[in-house]
Amino acid sequence: MSDNNSNSTIERSSFTNKIGFVLAAAGSAVGLGNLWRFPYCVAKYGGGMFLLIYVILGLTFGFSLMVAEIAIGRKTRLSAIGAFDKLKPGYSFIGVIASLVPIIITPYYCVIGGWVLKFLWSYITMPTNIVASTNEAGLTIFEQLITAPAEPLVWFLIFMCFNILIIAIGVEKGIEKFSKILMPILVALILIVAIYSCTLPNAIKGIQYYLIPRSEEFSINTILSAMSQLFYSLSLAMGIMITYGSYMKKDCNIETSVWQIEIFDTVIAFLAGLAIIPAVFSCGTPDDLKAGPSLMFIILPRLFNTMEAGRIIAIIFFFLVFFAALTSSISLYETCVSIFQDRFKQKRIPSIVFTLLICIVIGSLASLGYGPLSMITFFGMQFLDLFDFISNSILMPIVAFLTCIFIGYIIKPKVLIEEVESSNGNFRLKGLFTIVIKYIAPVLILIILVASILQNMGIIPTI
Ligand code: TRP
């Protein structure tokens, strides 16, 4: 993906047809963000209110920012750091901050990939009632896993090995092709599980919680978490879409592609929520709503345990989630590698090794943060939550803010509107695009960022 790697000439023209671009971008967008992160954010930050804010932000912020990033990439034919510099010399620092995000996300993404592998393995070797049970101390398999002295580290390293192996033997493209077959199966399976979950006793309460916004659930944290989830899930505000845009053909319609990617990504996240939230009300306790990162791993085993063919479905399900996680983590890993190649003018192999070292250090902290390292917390967060918070709730909003200011006031929206129109003829929503980029997004992001930092430091009360 880098500008100076040996494949660049082949890769720059690799999206030969229009749907190819959408599939590749959607493939990068769909992953653990949709399946694991979205459901727990909905559960934790206000159910229907979160969903409503998420959709509104998606239609405005998400749309405008994705159009902007793809247009920047296609116009400059460069990835983030070089692209900002080419549009206005001296502004590559925005690309540099954006590049920090994948470097923080990749390691902890692999830690969660390791959790998924552990559940896949558990279902292969154990019946569903055992996976859903608790030990003498009342701990679920998931809690036993993350508090164990070394086990999460081992699963994380196994997951990393898959990444390295695929990258080292250079079969990413093959894996991507495979994922195009497996992704639709994953969607179908989530749909089946969602329908099943909605028919459980008491599920209706969960469906109401999920779909009906209640004003008492509204807070600054709901907006901040919805915004950071949106960026994470659409792979925005981290330079990725700029890189994808740089490979996009001139005759490809940016506006329609963005809608397609957004709809695809949101529908999958929505279905994952529909599979998990109603099950919380049926097989869990209200406390589980606040479970955070562990939600999927606590609720799904209970759900599978109530199913007729639960074990087979669980094995297929976790295999597909593993695959979705693997394709995303490989593309995250490759992003880090190309950042080091571009930024430090390194060769490919040293960059791969350097990325690996960073992943092992940050990933080890994240994987052991709930167990042996649980005494170390920052503002009440363990390592994994901390890394997630820094990248998603601080860095990504900052990058989004700077990108908006850059487009709105430095290069002016007109430059990108022209880029969009060079293939479209007409950019239908250019009015919305301009207003969001110039006024709404920067003001809102600034208010939310400042409020959330002050709240987290206890300086102003939570609203
Ligand atoms: N959007 C991905 C998901 O929902 C995660 C992700 C963030 C990602 N940045 C990325 C994937 C870069 C690939 C490349 O899981």
Side-chain angles (χ1 to χ4, degrees):
M1 280 217 200
S2 76
D3 302 308
N4 57 3
N5 80 19
S6 53
N7 297 333
S8 67
T9 41
I10 310 164
E11 285 196 335
R12 284 271 179 249
S13 56
S14 71
F15 298 128
T16 40
N17 54 21
K18 292 179 188 159
I19 196 71
F21 172 78
V22 173
L23 280 179
S28 135
V30 173
L32 291 172
N34 311 60
L35 307 170
W36 155 80
R37 203 173 184 284
F38 181 81
Y40 94 65
C41 283
V42 178
K44 192 168 172 183
Y45 298 106
M49 186 48 93
F50 180 94
L51 187 65
L52 178 70
I53 295 176
Y54 184 86
V55 171
I56 294 175
L57 290 179
L59 295 174
T60 52
F61 273 38
F63 168 77
S64 305
L65 211 63
M66 193 180 289
V67 167
E69 292 199 7
I70 294 178
I72 290 179
R74 195 174 70 173
K75 188 172 172 57
T76 58
R77 298 265 158 218
L78 292 170
S79 46
I81 300 178
F84 282 103
D85 205 47
K86 182 163 175 187
L87 287 172
K88 194 85 186 179
Y91 283 84
S92 60
F93 73 94
I94 305 178
V96 174
I97 307 177
S99 306
L100 287 175
V101 177
I103 296 172
I104 299 178
I105 290 184
T106 312
Y108 85 78
Y109 204 88
C110 292
V111 170
I112 297 148
W115 295 351
V116 172
L117 261 184
K118 152 81 183 179
F119 273 79
L120 175 59
W121 181 246
S122 302
Y123 278 109
I124 292 174
T125 55
M126 288 185 253
T128 50
N129 58 340
I130 307 264
V131 184
S133 65
T134 52
N135 69 358
E136 317 79 59
L139 296 181
T140 59
I141 289 226
F142 178 75
E143 287 155 337
Q144 295 171 43
L145 166 72
I146 60 167
T147 52
E151 204 187 345
L153 187 63
V154 172
W155 288 109
F156 156 66
L157 292 175
I158 297 176
F159 189 84
M160 285 295 316
C161 288
F162 277 99
N163 274 281
I164 295 294
L165 207 71
I166 290 166
I167 289 168
I169 51 181
V171 289
E172 294 104 298
K173 286 275 171 288
I175 294 288
E176 264 166 40
K177 288 216 180 73
F178 211 38
S179 89
K180 280 183 195 131
I181 306 166
L182 292 180
M183 276 305 140
I185 307 180
L186 176 66
V187 179
L189 196 65
I190 297 175
L191 192 63
I192 295 171
V193 177
I195 293 172
Y196 177 80
S197 170
C198 289
T199 55
L200 290 170
N202 261 336
I204 187 72
K205 287 210 190 104
I207 299 174
Q208 285 168 346
Y209 178 78
Y210 188 30
L211 298 183
I212 303 175
R214 278 157 307 133
S215 54
E216 67 271 21
E217 296 284 1
F218 182 85
S219 75
I220 285 283
N221 270 335
T222 320
I223 313 184
L224 179 68
S225 53
M227 188 170 73
S228 67
Q229 173 58 23
L230 184 77
F231 293 160
Y232 185 90
S233 189
L234 293 173
S235 317
L236 290 176
M238 53 181 103
I240 308 275
M241 284 298 155
I242 300 186
T243 312
Y244 272 103
S246 73
Y247 299 126
M248 190 193 216
K249 282 200 146 190
K250 279 286 179 202
D251 63 354
C252 192
N253 186 324
I254 296 185
E255 202 177 0
T256 346
S257 303
V258 168
W259 284 128
Q260 286 165 347
I261 299 167
E262 276 210 62
I263 291 171
F264 187 65
D265 192 73
T266 308
V267 166
I268 295 191
F270 178 77
L271 288 179
L274 208 53
I276 292 179
I277 311 283
V280 175
F281 285 77
S282 185
C283 336
T285 62
D287 272 354
D288 289 331
L289 283 178
K290 300 274 169 254
S294 56
L295 186 67
M296 168 174 151
F297 299 97
I298 291 180
I299 294 304
L300 284 184
R302 294 195 202 148
L303 183 71
F304 290 135
N305 194 30
T306 67
M307 284 179 145
E308 195 79 17
R311 188 165 172 188
I312 292 293
I313 294 187
I315 292 175
I316 303 174
F317 185 86
F318 278 108
F319 174 75
L320 294 170
V321 175
F322 161 67
F323 213 84
L326 191 63
T327 50
S328 286
S329 68
I330 291 170
S331 102
L332 274 163
Y333 197 103
E334 280 286 358
T335 308
C336 298
V337 172
S338 61
I339 289 167
F340 294 128
Q341 280 183 289
D342 286 359
R343 184 85 190 126
F344 304 111
K345 304 274 169 275
Q346 288 297 320
K347 294 235 160 46
R348 187 169 160 80
I349 302 289
S351 302
I352 292 182
V353 175
F354 191 57
T355 308
L356 180 65
L357 289 179
I358 293 187
C359 281
I360 290 183
V361 173
I362 301 187
S364 301
L365 292 175
S367 68
L368 299 176
Y370 298 101
L373 303 179
S374 61
M375 63 293 177
I376 310 173
T377 59
F378 308 83
F379 300 107
M381 290 179 271
Q382 329 285 148
F383 276 110
L384 194 147
D385 305 63
L386 177 75
F387 296 140
D388 187 272
F389 183 77
I390 295 175
S391 59
N392 297 348
S393 300
I394 297 183
L395 288 177
M396 278 148 75
I398 290 177
V399 172
F401 174 78
L402 293 175
T403 309
C404 291
I405 299 292
F406 178 77
I407 300 166
Y409 302 94
I410 315 277
I411 61 165
K412 304 282 181 319
K414 211 172 112 250
V415 175
L416 296 185
I417 292 174
E418 277 167 13
E419 177 61 33
V420 176
E421 294 196 330
S422 68
S423 55
N424 263 14
N426 184 20
F427 181 2
R428 271 172 295 157
L429 292 178
K430 62 174 168 245
L432 174 81
F433 174 80
T434 312
I435 294 175
V436 169
I437 294 280
K438 276 185 94 153
Y439 310 107
I440 304 182
V443 173
L444 201 71
I445 294 173
L446 204 63
I447 295 175
I448 293 168
L449 252 186
V450 173
S452 104
I453 290 172
L454 294 181
Q455 267 179 15
N456 278 303
M457 297 174 76
I459 295 171
I460 57 169
T462 314
I463 8 168

